[in-house]
Every structure is written in C-alpha cells, then in structure tokens.
C-alpha cells in the first residue's frame, strides 16, 4: 500500500495484491477495496475510511504488466518510441516518468546531432537499451521478491534484507540515477 500527497487534504494511494489477471474485471467498489487493505497500520485505515466517505474519490484498477523486452524503435520505418510506449515496466522502482524524461532529454540532444532519422533512432536505441533493460529487470525482480506468498521465503527475504550492510541499498539506488554521460 502506498500513499502520495497530491494537494491539500488529497492523496493518491495505490495497493497491490497477488491475484490472477482479470480477477477484478467486474470492478471493485470503495468499501470492498477498503476491507481488502484494512489490515495495514499507520495512516492507511484513516485514508480508507475517508475514501469510503468521499463521493468524488474514484478507484482505478489495472493488472500489473511488464514488457518482456523493451522495443525502442524501428529505424527502417522511421518510428521511435519513448517513455512507457517503449518500455512500460512494473511500478516497483517508481522509474516510469523518470525514464520518459531521460528519453526526451536524449532525443532532444540527438535531434541536434543527426539529420538522418534512421541513424538517430539507431543511436537512441544504442544509448538507451542497456539502461532501460537494467531498470525493467530490477523492477520486475523487486516486485517478485516483494510479492512472495510462501511464508518461509518471506521470512528468509526479510532476514536477508535486515543483514544487508549499511550503504549497500544506497549504492543500488545510485545506479538508478541518470548516468553522467546522459546529462
């Protein structure tokens, strides 16, 4: 369950649950949603109560999906894809918008450098493919690890996370930052 403030007295919240694809095709009403996630502590129960009372609040359900491999473009067809159109990924690292902005920044610099669209697209793919795949893969596996259902594996995961030396997680996050040569 995640919470992000959007403006005074308004929040955006999201929740994930292991379930077969399409399980909520009939929709999910606010009360049922609140009951599913009431077990969380902190501000979650109060937010769920406010959700039920707020007539303007809406629920949007989407099954999580991950592209097996990013498709950034087709040079021969003069087609370049950026952002989620090229590399939609699971939300576990929260990098979707950032990757779209990185794509845009690189595209702008390449537009100044190349007159040939196929060459521009090839260079864009060359510059972005490795990073996009790294972030897509890390997000996918982090989701798998966080959504473990087996109790023994969850205990093992939680113990392993507690044993990670200080600074290791920070070094992992640094790899998500914009690479210096891309600035």
């Amino acid at each position: 369950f995640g919470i992000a403030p959007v403006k005074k007295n308004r929040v955006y919240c999201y929740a994930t649950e292991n379930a077969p694809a399409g399980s909520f095709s009939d929709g999910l009403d606010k009360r049922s949603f609140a009951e599913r996630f009431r077990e969380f502590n902190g501000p979650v129960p109060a937010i769920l109560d406010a959700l039920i009372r707020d007539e303007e609040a809406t629920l949007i359900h989407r099954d999580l999906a991950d592209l097996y491999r990013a498709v950034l473009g087709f040079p021969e067809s003069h087609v370049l894809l950026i952002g989620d159109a090229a590399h939609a990924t699971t939300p576990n690292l929260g990098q979707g918008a950032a990757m779209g902005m990185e794509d845009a920044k690189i595209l702008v610099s390449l537009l100044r450098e190349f007159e040939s669209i196929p060459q521009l697209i090839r260079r864009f793919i060359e510059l972005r493919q490795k990073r996009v795949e790294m972030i897509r893969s890390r997000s996918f596996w982090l989701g798998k690890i966080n959504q473990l259902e087996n109790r023994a594996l969850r205990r093992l995961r939680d113990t392993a996370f507690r044993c990670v030396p200080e600074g290791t997680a920070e070094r992992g996050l640094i790899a998500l930052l914009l690479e210096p040569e891309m600035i």
Side-chain angles (χ1 to χ4, degrees), residues 136-179:
R136 188 214 58 79
S137 177
R138 285 187 184 187
S139 182
F140 176 82
W141 286 109
L142 182 61
K144 288 286 187 195
I145 291 166
N146 285 337
Q147 295 294 120
L148 288 171
E149 292 186 14
N150 180 286
R151 176 174 277 157
L153 289 176
R154 285 195 317 259
R155 273 198 299 268
L156 180 63
R157 172 204 61 206
D158 295 347
T159 301
F161 281 171
R162 282 191 295 276
C163 294
V164 171
E166 193 171 322
T168 301
E170 184 178 324
R171 285 189 296 279
L173 289 174
I174 289 171
L176 299 178
L177 299 176
L178 189 62
E179 296 170 323

Side-chain angles (χ1 to χ4, degrees):
F1 199 99
I3 304 162
V6 284
K7 61 183 180 180
K8 187 178 180 180
N9 297 323
R10 299 300 276 184
V11 297
Y12 163 80
C13 60
Y14 62 91
T16 60
E17 179 178 52
N18 291 350
S23 352
F24 302 109
S25 57
D26 295 337
L28 187 64
D29 66 84
K30 292 189 281 189
R31 192 167 299 284
S32 298
F33 175 82
E35 288 309 311
R36 283 183 117 85
F37 298 100
R38 187 147 316 274
E39 69 198 47
F40 285 84
N41 27 0
V44 175
I47 288 171
L48 293 172
D49 289 339
L51 170 71
I52 293 169
R53 290 190 309 272
D54 187 342
E55 292 180 20
E56 293 179 26
T58 58
L59 291 177
I60 300 170
H61 168 264
R62 298 284 184 266
D63 287 339
L64 291 182
D66 176 66
L67 299 177
Y68 173 70
R69 184 163 175 84
V71 177
L72 301 177
F74 307 92
E76 296 74 26
S77 303
H78 293 208
V79 174
L80 175 67
L81 302 173
I82 66 171
D84 281 350
H87 44 69
T89 186
T90 56
N92 304 299
L93 291 176
Q95 290 296 300
M99 289 174 59
M101 289 187 279
E102 288 177 18
D103 287 348
K105 177 149 180 66
I106 289 172
L107 177 57
V108 167
S109 69
L110 293 177
L111 285 169
R112 293 183 186 125
E113 185 179 335
F114 290 91
E115 289 186 26
S116 162
I117 298 299
Q119 286 179 334
L120 178 149
I121 293 171
R122 282 187 198 92
R123 182 66 177 141
F124 181 89
I125 292 169
E126 183 182 302
L127 288 171
R128 295 296 288 154
Q129 190 74 47
K130 184 177 177 184
R131 179 167 171 76
V132 162
E133 287 299 328
M134 178 270 293
I135 291 174
R136 188 214 58 79
S137 177
R138 285 187 184 187
S139 182
F140 176 82
W141 286 109
L142 182 61
K144 288 286 187 195
I145 291 166
N146 285 337
Q147 295 294 120
L148 288 171
E149 292 186 14
N150 180 286
R151 176 174 277 157
L153 289 176
R154 285 195 317 259
R155 273 198 299 268
L156 180 63
R157 172 204 61 206
D158 295 347
T159 301
F161 281 171
R162 282 191 295 276
C163 294
V164 171
E166 193 171 322
T168 301
E170 184 178 324
R171 285 189 296 279
L173 289 174
I174 289 171
L176 299 178
L177 299 176
L178 189 62
E179 296 170 323
E181 63 270 11
M182 297 171 84
I183 297 175

